[in-house]
Amino acid sequence: MVEKPRRRGRDASPSSHSPSGYSSDVEITIGNIREQSPRRRQVFEIEEPETYSLDSRRGDGGGLVNKCKSLYANKDFGNIVLLIALYWLQGIPLGLAHGSIPFLLKEKLSYAQVGLFSLAGYPYSLKLFWSPIVDSLYDRKFGRRKSWIVPIQFVLAIVFWWMGSHIDTLIRNPADNIYEITYLFLAIVFLSATQDIAVDGWALTLLSKENLSYASTCQTVGINCGFFLSFTVFLALNSSEFSNKYIFSTPRDEGFLQLGSYMAFWSLIYVLVTMYLILFKVETQPVDRGDEQEVEYGLVETYKTIWRICKLPHMRLFIVVLFFAKIGFIPNDSITKLKLIEHGLHKEDMALAVLIDFPVQIFFGYYAARWSQGESKMKPWRVAFILRLICAALSMATVHYFPQTGLTNWYFCIVILTKVTSSMAGTVQFVGLSAFITQIADPVIGGTYMTLLNTLSNFGGTWPVFFIMRAVDYFTRATCEFSEGSELLSYSCSAQEDRNRCAKDGGVCNVAWDGYYIMSSVCILAAMAMYYSFIRPTVLKLE
């Protein structure tokens, strides 16, 4: 592959460009929409703000049924399906790394050890550092995006196939293999993140101008479907209780589907999709969109441009917002489900809750996209922010008041309602922010610009997880106590392994302080204070 430092024309006069082919002055145009006429543009731009209009990216109206019919008849229907499939493949490893694997590990490990595994998700939030390489180095004959997507998916297929015969052994004894498990999924998430960079950039040119509004919808549907299969469906089929109840005629110790078999199956799917790209999909040059042609920067110029973007005053504010906005949701998103299982909720019950939650996310994802087409692009995001904080507090209550005698139907309905509402708010935030980022992303550097903003948003929800999980164990005070006359001495049972040992020894683990409630309360109060003092005023200003 070779570096391609060139520029495709923008139909601008020579006087408006520097000799090097791109402007050395990075400027940003952000206006108060309430003070603008309907034709006034509202964008983050790198150069030539007067040439970049977003009017065409606004979606059309109509009901959901009519939207589906028009989608099927759309000239880009095949490309939309392809985008969904590529994003779907991204959701498979993400559903494992952020969903199923923590569940499987928590049965034998402490929150601090599960927090160590959470580091495997960091590459997806740090892909900005190598996204310019993906944007700048490629084989022009094979295709700018296919040059990366094809080899990466082949490598993922090989890794998945190898793990298919080894991962079950590692998971059975996670305490001794936690570093190896983390390294393996770190590599998988790194490859998926790199594929995401290429797919994000391809979405800008794969769809025609009038269908760009479908890009965020493809991402939402595809990633959610992949995540759903790797989290909900896999956990249910992996559960021995679920399998014995609904699948097996005679009880068995293991579930119907093991992790190794699941990963081996998806390695074949990776190969099939990749072969389709090689044999049947020709990556064409971007169609003529008037003055919105993409500029191809060289590798060094791209890194310099990103640095100049990050130094802009308005962008610095946006970066701070994205970096800290998700702190209040982390305990609920990462720990609440593990706490519910710790209190007696079965894995298959949690899988059922996610199963009910899945269509709600798709439904609200569509209407959130329509909501985001108004003048106040981030209004859905702001409303959902408060709703997610409320759901975080309610989720903390569902853990505290979990029935000691076992899960009842009415309480399970409360758990589902809280889960669905929280996920609905998260989906509204995701789609609203994605639509806003898509609309302000300047195609001057293609996928790198979108990746910059998406990376900052993802990292804001990733970096606190490790520290918050360690803090939960740090602030937890629990002692395994025995009845009078027992020869065993009391010991700490804060970690899950010690709780299992306590139960095996016949003791009772008495929790004096639960770090989950402490960290949840601190994060919710801190997020509320930041929202009204900084986040909300800043977002209103950027709109």
Side-chain angles (χ1 to χ4, degrees), residues 280-503:
F280 302 106
K281 188 62 182 177
V282 177
E283 186 174 348
T284 59
Q285 295 297 323
V287 297
D288 185 8
R289 295 182 183 171
D291 57 4
E292 252 183 51
Q293 288 298 300
E294 182 181 29
V295 175
E296 296 181 14
Y297 281 178
L299 181 60
V300 176
E301 288 90 342
T302 301
Y303 276 109
K304 289 181 179 179
T305 302
I306 289 177
W307 178 243
R308 287 197 295 270
I309 294 172
C310 293
K311 291 193 300 182
L312 296 171
H314 290 294
M315 183 59 75
R316 285 201 298 263
L317 290 174
F318 197 33
I319 290 173
V320 174
V321 168
L322 296 177
F323 198 75
F324 291 102
K326 296 183 180 179
I327 286 181
F329 319 135
I330 299 300
N332 183 31
D333 293 344
S334 301
I335 305 176
T336 295
K337 54 183 179 288
L338 300 177
K339 273 292 179 182
L340 287 171
I341 289 180
E342 185 180 298
H343 280 64
L345 185 70
H346 295 295
K347 289 189 299 183
E348 61 269 22
D349 293 330
M350 178 59 69
L352 177 60
V354 179
L355 175 63
I356 297 172
D357 172 54
F358 177 70
V360 175
Q361 290 193 46
I362 301 298
F363 178 81
F364 277 95
Y366 166 75
Y367 282 102
R370 293 190 61 188
W371 190 6
S372 301
Q373 292 170 7
E375 288 188 344
S376 184
K377 307 296 181 185
M378 291 286 281
K379 183 177 180 180
W381 186 90
R382 297 196 306 271
V383 173
F385 187 100
I386 299 299
L387 183 58
R388 286 185 76 179
L389 289 182
I390 295 173
C391 289
L394 293 176
S395 297
M396 188 166 49
T398 61
V399 174
H400 180 74
Y401 293 105
F402 195 92
Q404 298 294 322
T405 57
L407 183 67
T408 60
N409 290 334
W410 70 269
Y411 204 84
F412 185 50
C413 291
I414 294 176
V415 171
I416 290 177
L417 180 62
T418 307
K419 167 67 178 172
V420 168
T421 305
S422 177
S423 297
M424 177 196 70
T427 300
V428 171
Q429 276 202 303
F430 174 78
V431 174
L433 185 62
S434 296
F436 180 68
I437 290 175
T438 300
Q439 290 168 344
I440 67 176
D442 193 333
V444 166
I445 50 174
T448 298
Y449 198 106
M450 292 185 66
T451 300
L452 165 63
L453 300 176
N454 279 310
T455 295
L456 296 172
S457 177
N458 291 334
F459 191 62
T462 303
W463 73 265
V465 174
F466 173 77
F467 302 100
I468 291 176
M469 281 193 162
R470 291 190 67 87
V472 168
D473 273 352
Y474 178 81
F475 288 111
T476 297
R477 298 290 182 269
T479 305
C480 183
E481 298 178 351
F482 301 91
S483 59
E484 295 183 6
S486 175
E487 298 180 356
L488 298 175
L489 298 177
S490 299
Y491 54 84
S492 174
C493 56
S494 299
Q496 185 62 41
E497 184 178 6
D498 293 328
R499 287 193 180 93
N500 297 338
R501 173 189 166 196
C502 181

Side-chain angles (χ1 to χ4, degrees), residues 111-311:
Y111 284 104
Q113 290 172 307
V114 176
L116 175 64
F117 175 79
S118 71
L119 297 177
Y122 271 36
Y124 204 82
S125 301
L126 297 174
K127 56 190 176 183
L128 169 68
F129 291 106
W130 63 92
S131 64
I133 298 176
V134 178
D135 245 17
S136 302
L137 304 179
Y138 58 93
D139 184 348
R140 189 174 184 84
K141 292 183 179 180
F142 191 60
R144 183 176 187 180
R145 310 304 177 183
K146 285 173 60 179
S147 296
W148 289 91
I149 295 174
V150 168
I152 285 173
Q153 291 188 170
F154 272 135
V155 174
L156 279 169
I158 294 172
V159 174
F160 266 57
W161 184 261
W162 182 88
M163 291 182 68
S165 58
H166 293 81
I167 190 63
D168 289 329
T169 303
L170 298 175
I171 290 292
R172 289 191 187 99
N173 189 18
D176 295 334
N177 301 312
I178 184 61
Y179 287 102
E180 186 173 354
I181 295 171
T182 302
Y183 293 147
L184 286 171
F185 277 93
L186 183 73
I188 289 175
V189 174
F190 171 79
L191 293 170
S192 297
T194 307
Q195 186 233 26
D196 179 64
I197 299 169
V199 175
D200 280 347
W202 202 4
L204 293 176
T205 56
L206 191 63
L207 301 179
S208 58
K209 182 178 179 180
E210 62 271 18
N211 289 320
L212 280 177
S213 60
Y214 285 113
S216 62
T217 303
C218 292
Q219 185 182 40
T220 303
V221 173
I223 291 180
N224 277 336
C225 286
F227 198 99
F228 167 75
L229 285 177
S230 288
F231 185 21
T232 307
V233 176
F234 171 75
L235 273 187
L237 297 179
N238 180 256
S239 169
S240 58
E241 292 87 353
F242 180 90
S243 300
N244 288 330
K245 184 176 181 180
Y246 297 105
I247 300 176
F248 298 141
S249 57
T250 57
R252 301 183 186 180
D253 295 333
E254 293 184 339
F256 174 77
L257 181 62
Q258 299 304 304
L259 182 58
S261 301
Y262 181 79
M263 298 190 74
F265 167 78
W266 279 104
S267 70
L268 298 177
I269 302 300
Y270 271 108
V271 171
L272 291 177
V273 174
T274 308
M275 291 303 297
Y276 169 80
L277 292 178
I278 295 174
L279 299 176
F280 302 106
K281 188 62 182 177
V282 177
E283 186 174 348
T284 59
Q285 295 297 323
V287 297
D288 185 8
R289 295 182 183 171
D291 57 4
E292 252 183 51
Q293 288 298 300
E294 182 181 29
V295 175
E296 296 181 14
Y297 281 178
L299 181 60
V300 176
E301 288 90 342
T302 301
Y303 276 109
K304 289 181 179 179
T305 302
I306 289 177
W307 178 243
R308 287 197 295 270
I309 294 172
C310 293
K311 291 193 300 182

Side-chain angles (χ1 to χ4, degrees), residues 27-46 48-58 292 314 318 371-380 382 432-433 435-443 449 453 538-543:
E27 61 181 294
I28 189 168
T29 301
I30 308 177
N32 187 339
I33 195 68
R34 294 163 184 80
E35 299 174 357
Q36 295 176 358
S37 67
R39 293 182 176 274
R40 184 73 178 271
R41 292 183 295 272
Q42 170 201 3
V43 291
F44 286 62
E45 294 185 318
I46 296 179
E48 303 170 68
E50 71 280 0
T51 66
Y52 183 38
S53 173
L54 295 167
D55 294 339
S56 61
R57 293 193 182 187
R58 304 176 190 271
E292 252 183 51
H314 290 294
F318 197 33
W371 190 6
S372 301
Q373 292 170 7
E375 288 188 344
S376 184
K377 307 296 181 185
M378 291 286 281
K379 183 177 180 180
R382 297 196 306 271
L433 185 62
F436 180 68
I437 290 175
T438 300
Q439 290 168 344
I440 67 176
D442 193 333
Y449 198 106
L453 300 176
T538 302
V539 169
L540 288 173
K541 178 181 178 182
L542 294 180
E543 281 189 306

